[in-house]
């Protein structure tokens, strides 16, 4: 091919077109490479996700229940292990044959045959080992894949109180280091444990076959010391593995919080303080690990010393037996060689026991998470909420985030379809809590919340939330384009619909300024946008979803007057024709609603239109008077 091809000659243009590539100019030979690569690429079928809000009936996560479905595969792995182990252990036995039959009698032919068989076992060992590693590696990955999905789905299923109580960083650890500990256990630990255990059995049998007396002697020299040491080591590691796991979770939690709160941290000059704090957290993790290192530093050299001392004693006793003629030189060689072989499995099994400990500790932590039931759960006989008109009723609702501190007391309320209600009142009075109950983030301890007469506890969560819109006080924007963020509740919305939603809330100016219109990327959490813009995007998101009922927590951030009036105008558009609950922090917003409710100390103390409440001369009238005085 000439240079023409590289610069997009007619031939390559055709090639590109044939290959279905968007831009002309892919040279023919590159195309074959591309095709080759594509052929090798694994193809992932479209994912069918089975997600339900109900607690799945899986058995609690224990190593056993987790492995049981894979018993056949594990059996195959074990078979490979048997072959691998047998091939590995045959070495000293062959050495014995070589020495006794070949070397001692000067028979070169036998020596050659033994060496060839030796080579053969080495090859067979390498092959079975390679197969086994590949097989268990795949199996381990599959197990981990299933577990990661199980934990992630469970996180998606849990109720909001769980995420308030648990630090995000700790939840991250479950998915990272805890699952990794299990990966190590499945990919290397379990099967290796079997390899080593089998090796012990085979070697013991061979030793007894060679010379029962010497075998007993060897066992007596080896087993008690190693056993006692291993038990001690196990006790120490028991203690510190749980600790290490807890502390790495603390490290991650602290890291996550520092990253998420970096703006506040910078503004309040807490960077230095944070470094000090993190030093302590990391220090505690280090201390926990050091306890383990200390134990290992005693355990490993001591067991090694036992091996070498054992070999020396064996050489002396066995050597005397050779001189007496009760043992052959080959048998002595086999004994001495097997002794190292004998120790390695014991030592490794204890090391693997560490892995097992770690795995158990992780499995326990994961089991705890997985067995947490969502506090807001879907009833087994829940039905889909039919398309709603938007009537909301609260009847005698009492609620507290924990049972001891009630937040709402006997609240009753009715909103007609299409009506808007502003909720005002002092901070901490329970305004947001009312909103959270209406979208069923929590269930009331007493009383009922109904939409169109349906008790929220009797309908499916998906069908409920599909018809509700929520605009939180601090809108959360995801990493992605404006389009992705606005179409969050309706990913299938067309660009035209997204544009319309943006226009409706008055975001046209922003879109014109951005390089890529609706496809412009937003930074994580919308950090590159102004507070007002974030608020407007959240409104556009709600507008596009077109819910019948909208719950809106007004932003308290001090917006400039221009942004404020923009948001007011956007609100009017979004609330048009919907049942709406607006938690209003400014009277200007409250006054636009059909009715206003004053919440004080967890109770609705006044409710009515603006004029009615002003005439009533209560709390609202006071607020209004103060506001008017300021305005003037
Ligand atoms: P506001 O009227 O300012 O919206 P909220 O409804 O947010 O008040 O809060 C009402 C009370 O409930 C407050 O005392 C607050 O401290 C408490 N509270 C709010 N959220 C939680 C929570 N997730 N867990 C425990 N207590 C909470």
């Amino acid at each position: 091919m000439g240079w023409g091809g590289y610069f997009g000659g007619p031939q390559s243009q055709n090639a590109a077109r044939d290959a279905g590539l968007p831009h002309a100019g892919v040279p023919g030979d590159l195309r074959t490479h591309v095709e080759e690569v594509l052929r090798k690429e694994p193809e992932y079928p479209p994912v069918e996700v089975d997600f339900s809000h109900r607690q799945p009936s899986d058995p609690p996560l224990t190593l056993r229940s987790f492995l049981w479905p894979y018993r056949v595969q594990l059996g195959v792995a074990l078979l490979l292990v048997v072959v691998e182990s047998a091939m590995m252990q045959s070495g000293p036995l062959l050495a014995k044959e070589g020495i006794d039959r070949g070397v001692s009698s000067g028979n070169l032919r036998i020596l050659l045959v033994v060496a060839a068989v030796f080579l053969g076992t080495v090859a067979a060992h390498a092959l079975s080992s390679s197969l086994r590693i590949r097989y268990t590696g795949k199996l381990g990955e599959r197990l981990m894949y299933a577990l990661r999905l199980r934990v992630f789905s469970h996180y998606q299923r849990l109720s909001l109180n769980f995420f308030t109580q648990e630090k995000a960083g700790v939840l991250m650890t479950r998915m990272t280091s805890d699952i990794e500990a299990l990966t190590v256990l499945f990919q290397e630990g379990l099967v290796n444990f079997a390899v080593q255990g089998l090796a012990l059995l085979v070697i013991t049998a061979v030793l007894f076959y060679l010379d029962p007396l010497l075998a007993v002697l060897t066992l007596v020299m080896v087993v008690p010391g190693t056993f006692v040491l291993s038990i001690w080591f196990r006790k120490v590691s028991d203690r510190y593995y749980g600790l290490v796991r807890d502390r790495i979770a603390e490290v991650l939690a602290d890291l996550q919080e520092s990253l998420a709160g970096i703006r506040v941290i910078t503004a309040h000059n807490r960077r230095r303080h944070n470094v000090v704090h993190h030093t302590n957290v990391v220090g505690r993790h280090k201390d926990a690990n050091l306890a383990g290192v200390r134990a290992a530093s005693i355990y490993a050299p001591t067991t090694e010393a036992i091996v070498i001392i054992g070999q020396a004693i064996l050489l002396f006793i066995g050597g005397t037996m050779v001189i007496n003629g009760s043992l052959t030189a080959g048998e002595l060689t086999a004994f001495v060689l097997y002794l190292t072989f004998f120790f390695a499995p014991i030592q490794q099994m204890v090391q693997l026991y560490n892995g097992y400990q770690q795995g158990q500790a992780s499995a326990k932590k994961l089991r705890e998470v997985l067995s947490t039931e969502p506090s807001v759960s879907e009833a087994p006989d829940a039905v889909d909420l039919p398309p709603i008109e938007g009537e909301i009723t609260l009847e005698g609702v009492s609620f507290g985030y924990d049972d001891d501190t009630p937040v709402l007391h006997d609240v009753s309320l009715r909103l007609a379809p299409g009506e808007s209600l502003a909720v005002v009142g002092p901070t901490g009075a329970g305004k947001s809590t009312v909103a959270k109950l209406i979208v069923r983030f929590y269930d009331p301890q007493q009383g009922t919340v109904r939409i169109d007469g349906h008790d929220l506890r009797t309908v499916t969560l998906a069908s409920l939330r599909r018809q509700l819109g929520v605009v939180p006080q601090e809108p959360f924007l995801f990493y992605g384009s404006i389009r992705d963020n606005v179409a969050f509740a309706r990913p299938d919305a067309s660009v035209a619909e997204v544009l319309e939603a943006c226009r409706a809330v008055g975001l046209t100016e922003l879109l014109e300024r951005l390089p890529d219109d609706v496809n412009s990327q937003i930074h994580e959490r919308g950090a590159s946008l102004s507070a007002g813009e974030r608020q407007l995007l959240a409104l556009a998101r709600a507008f596009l979803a077109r819910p019948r009922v909208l719950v809106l927590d007004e932003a308290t951030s001090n917006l400039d007057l221009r942004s404020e009036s923009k948001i007011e105008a956007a609100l009017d558009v979004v609330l048009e024709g919907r049942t709406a609950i607006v938690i209003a922090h400014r009277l200007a917003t409250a006054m636009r609603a059909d009715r206003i409710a004053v919440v004080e100390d967890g109770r609705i103390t006044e409710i009515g239109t603006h004029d009615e409440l002003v005439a009533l001369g209560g709390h609202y009238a006071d607020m209004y008077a103060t506001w008017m005085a300021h305005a003037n």
Side-chain angles (χ1 to χ4, degrees):
M1 146 165 305
W3 283 105
Y6 286 102
F7 292 104
Q11 239 183 334
S12 69
Q13 302 258 344
N14 287 345
R17 207 181 44 237
D18 292 348
L21 293 167
H23 301 294
V26 176
D29 53 351
L30 196 62
R31 192 181 130 204
T32 35
H33 284 310
V34 168
E35 276 166 6
E36 206 173 296
V37 170
L38 285 179
R39 249 199 314 278
K40 280 189 208 149
E41 277 290 295
E43 266 190 45
Y44 294 105
V47 183
E48 288 287 332
V49 177
D50 178 23
F51 176 78
S52 150
H53 283 285
R54 281 166 212 167
Q55 179 81 1
S57 50
D58 297 343
L61 180 80
T62 56
L63 288 184
R64 244 185 73 167
S65 73
F66 188 57
L67 292 177
W68 186 241
Y70 299 90
R71 56 192 179 278
V72 176
Q73 286 93 325
L74 284 172
V76 175
L78 210 65
L79 215 66
L80 285 170
V81 165
V82 173
V83 177
E84 191 185 335
S85 200
M87 290 300 127
M88 188 167 68
Q89 305 311 337
S90 59
L93 214 52
L94 286 168
K96 171 200 162 268
E97 294 301 321
I99 292 174
D100 285 350
R101 293 200 199 178
V103 179
S104 304
S105 55
N107 191 333
L108 207 62
R109 240 175 59 101
I110 290 189
L111 202 57
L112 209 65
V113 171
V114 170
V117 174
F118 206 152
L119 271 182
T121 61
V122 172
H125 173 253
L127 188 72
S128 57
S129 173
S130 157
L131 270 179
R132 194 260 304 167
I133 292 173
R134 209 180 289 188
Y135 190 78
T136 52
K138 261 192 199 162
L139 184 59
E141 283 310 325
R142 261 171 56 196
L143 283 165
M144 286 310 109
Y145 175 80
L147 187 61
R148 272 181 216 278
L149 280 181
R150 188 166 160 190
V151 175
F152 188 84
S153 307
H154 194 66
Y155 281 175
Q156 298 292 315
R157 187 179 295 121
L158 282 170
S159 308
L160 291 182
N161 61 342
F162 177 78
F163 298 96
T164 317
Q165 284 152 14
E166 287 280 356
K167 287 189 189 170
V170 173
L171 298 183
M172 302 269 248
T173 345
R174 300 289 163 267
M175 284 294 251
T176 50
S177 61
D178 280 331
I179 289 198
E180 269 150 30
L182 282 179
T183 314
V184 173
L185 181 64
F186 291 137
Q187 287 192 335
E188 296 154 25
L190 282 180
V191 176
N192 241 343
F193 206 75
V195 176
Q196 305 304 348
L198 211 68
L200 273 186
L201 281 181
V202 171
I203 296 173
T204 314
V206 173
L207 288 186
F208 271 95
Y209 160 74
L210 289 177
D211 190 296
L213 191 72
L214 208 53
V216 171
L217 190 77
T218 311
L219 289 184
V220 167
M221 282 192 306
V222 171
V223 176
T226 318
F227 195 67
V228 168
L229 270 172
S230 304
I231 291 207
W232 167 78
F233 191 62
R234 177 195 147 157
K235 263 199 172 153
V236 177
S237 51
D238 256 358
R239 208 171 331 124
Y240 82 91
Y241 269 124
L243 208 61
V244 169
R245 228 100 291 271
D246 283 346
R247 296 199 172 160
I248 190 68
E250 279 172 26
V251 171
L252 282 181
D254 194 58
L255 173 66
Q256 195 269 343
E257 212 169 56
S258 307
L259 293 181
I262 193 72
R263 283 171 195 82
V264 184
I265 289 163
T266 311
H268 292 279
N269 239 338
R270 291 266 294 200
R271 286 183 182 226
R272 205 186 129 80
H273 172 273
N274 271 17
V275 173
V276 173
H277 186 253
H278 202 71
T279 310
N280 288 329
V281 175
V282 176
R284 279 198 292 277
H285 175 236
K286 181 194 72 184
D287 291 345
N289 268 323
L290 280 184
V293 170
R294 260 197 304 278
S297 76
I298 297 171
Y299 177 74
T302 320
T303 43
E304 263 164 37
I306 295 183
V307 174
I308 299 165
I309 296 170
Q311 272 175 333
I313 298 176
L314 200 65
L315 188 65
F316 178 72
I317 300 177
T320 333
M321 284 166 80
V322 173
I323 295 171
N324 289 345
S326 58
L327 197 75
T328 67
E331 281 166 345
L332 176 62
T333 315
F335 260 97
V336 174
L337 284 177
Y338 271 129
L339 195 66
T340 30
F341 270 44
F342 199 84
F343 263 105
I346 296 188
Q347 211 174 345
Q348 277 211 25
M349 276 177 84
V350 173
Q351 254 163 33
L352 289 169
Y353 187 77
N354 279 2
Y356 176 73
Q357 286 282 293
Q358 246 171 349
Q360 277 289 8
S362 296
K364 184 162 168 262
K365 295 256 151 71
L366 286 167
R367 179 161 63 243
E368 275 165 19
V369 169
L370 286 173
S371 60
T372 312
E373 293 199 17
S375 57
V376 170
S377 58
E378 201 170 78
D381 55 350
V383 289
D384 278 348
L385 181 67
I388 53 172
E389 292 289 318
E391 184 205 41
I392 301 175
T393 37
L394 270 69
E395 277 169 18
V397 167
S398 296
F399 172 76
Y401 290 94
D402 51 72
D403 293 340
D404 306 330
T405 38
V407 174
L408 296 181
H409 315 268
D410 195 19
V411 173
S412 294
L413 183 71
R414 178 179 176 275
L415 261 85
E419 190 185 16
S420 62
L421 177 80
V423 184
V424 298
T427 306
K431 305 182 295 288
S432 306
T433 307
V434 173
K436 287 178 198 163
L437 292 182
I438 291 173
V439 291
R440 206 175 169 218
F441 283 168
Y442 297 89
D443 279 331
Q445 267 110 19
Q446 271 167 35
T448 47
V449 182
R450 290 172 200 277
I451 289 191
D452 280 14
H454 299 274
D455 185 337
L456 297 192
R457 278 176 285 214
T458 61
V459 298
T460 57
L461 286 166
S463 70
L464 170 71
R465 305 236 166 97
R466 203 178 302 130
Q467 304 190 55
L468 294 177
V470 182
V471 182
Q473 199 173 65
E474 289 144 27
F476 192 97
L477 299 180
F478 293 86
Y479 178 81
S481 64
I482 298 232
R483 180 184 172 182
D484 299 338
N485 268 287
V486 172
F488 194 66
R490 272 185 51 205
D492 56 331
S494 67
V495 177
E497 285 174 296
V498 171
L499 275 173
E500 191 210 331
C502 290
R503 205 173 305 124
V505 299
L507 268 176
T508 339
E509 254 177 60
L510 172 71
L511 290 186
E512 277 164 9
R513 218 179 48 220
L514 289 173
D516 244 348
D517 210 54
V518 283
N519 291 321
S520 311
Q521 295 290 313
I522 296 182
H523 291 86
E524 208 175 18
R525 298 192 188 182
S528 52
L529 298 172
S530 79
E533 287 161 350
R534 284 201 291 270
Q535 194 75 26
L536 288 176
L537 273 175
L539 286 174
R541 191 187 271 169
F543 182 85
L544 185 71
R546 298 189 186 283
R548 287 301 309 153
V549 172
L550 193 69
V551 176
L552 199 143
D553 205 339
E554 188 199 23
T556 35
S557 43
N558 292 324
L559 297 174
D560 60 278
L561 274 180
R562 218 168 81 84
S563 314
E564 207 174 279
S565 60
K566 254 184 164 180
I567 289 185
E568 299 282 297
L571 270 182
D572 284 344
V573 177
V574 175
L575 297 188
E576 173 84 42
R578 307 207 149 86
T579 314
I581 305 249
V582 182
I583 296 157
H585 298 278
R586 292 164 307 150
L587 278 192
T589 316
M591 278 153 61
R592 294 171 113 88
D594 297 330
R595 278 195 302 160
I596 298 157
V598 180
V599 174
E600 285 172 288
D601 210 6
R603 292 182 174 82
I604 296 186
T605 48
E606 296 166 28
I607 187 160
T609 62
H610 170 75
D611 293 334
E612 282 166 5
L613 291 190
V614 171
L616 189 73
H619 187 88
Y620 183 78
D622 281 350
M623 279 164 66
Y624 182 61
T626 322
W627 184 71
M628 285 298 278
H630 273 290
N632 286 336

